[in-house]
Amino acid sequence: MSATETENIKPTGELALQTLAMPKDTNANGDIFGGWLVSQMDLAAGIASKKVTRGRSATVAIKGINFLSPVKVGATVSCFTTVVCIGRTSVQIQVDVWTSIFDIDDRSKKVADGLFVFVAIDDNGKPRKIPQQAAE
Ligand SMILES: CC(C)(COP(=O)(O)OP(=O)(O)OC[C@H]1O[C@@H](n2cnc3c(N)ncnc32)[C@H](O)[C@@H]1OP(=O)(O)O)[C@@H](O)C(=O)NCCC(=O)NCCS
């Protein structure tokens, strides 16, 4: 989906994380560095993962990240998560990132999305079964 196509739709999923894009996170173009955005997405997915795995979990894969529009300094960055699939030890979480520049107007724009896979781990860092109630 292109950035233009997202302009009239609203975010879906749960607001897992919200932050502000700061000047220290810019790339050579003066826009926000993609790695910073991925880091926020990973944190948001980690929060969503905790609710499902009820304990420690770790990112095992990040699939198909799309950067749809540059993120500007001063933008409010909101990460929305949707649990797509719960397996025996893993959970797949869709993360959609939307930005708003409230100094200008209240409209939001989807700027990135991606699929994050987390694995529930035990105290030894080995995969553990996700509790049954989370999978229901
Ligand atoms: C997460 C980790 C414990 C999984 O161990 P593993 O031996 O690969 O585990 P398994 O092969 O038994 O797979 C566990 C689950 O993950 C899924 N999985 C593993 N690799 C995957 C991948 N690349 N993509 C999607 N799912 C994957 C498996 O399908 C399985 O899911 P299920 O139990 O729901 O069916 C191990 O890979 C690890 O420690 N990785 C590093 C994690 C980390 O440090 N992340 C932060 C990065 S800095």
Side-chain angles (χ1 to χ4, degrees):
M1 189 180 285
S2 73
T4 324
E5 284 171 317
T6 66
E7 272 170 15
N8 294 321
I9 62 171
K10 295 218 173 295
T12 55
E14 186 170 345
L15 178 60
L17 180 146
Q18 196 165 52
T19 188
L20 199 59
M22 301 293 276
K24 68 178 173 53
D25 302 314
T26 51
N27 61 22
N29 303 326
D31 295 322
I32 293 299
F33 179 50
W36 179 83
L37 205 58
V38 174
S39 174
Q40 304 310 306
M41 295 168 82
D42 195 23
L43 284 170
I47 291 167
S49 169
K50 266 197 176 300
K51 291 184 180 172
V52 172
T53 62
R54 300 286 167 188
R56 289 179 64 185
S57 63
T59 318
V60 76
I62 301 177
K63 298 186 172 182
I65 288 201
N66 299 297
F67 297 105
L68 308 171
S69 265
V71 175
K72 303 292 179 190
V73 169
T76 297
V77 176
S78 305
C79 296
F80 292 85
T81 56
T82 304
V83 173
V84 174
C85 170
I86 301 175
R88 201 181 81 83
T89 67
S90 69
V91 54
Q92 300 198 7
I93 297 156
Q94 169 76 20
V95 182
D96 294 337
V97 185
W98 289 69
T99 59
S100 315
I101 303 179
F102 293 118
D103 315 26
I104 299 173
D105 59 35
D106 284 346
R107 275 180 299 176
S108 298
K109 175 156 84 164
K110 184 172 165 182
V111 294
D113 58 29
L115 185 69
F116 287 68
V117 186
F118 275 69
V119 175
I121 52 172
D122 63 19
D123 289 344
N124 299 312
K126 300 291 177 207
R128 74 178 158 84
K129 199 167 173 291
I130 291 175
Q132 184 60 33
Q133 68 269 23
E136 286 169 353

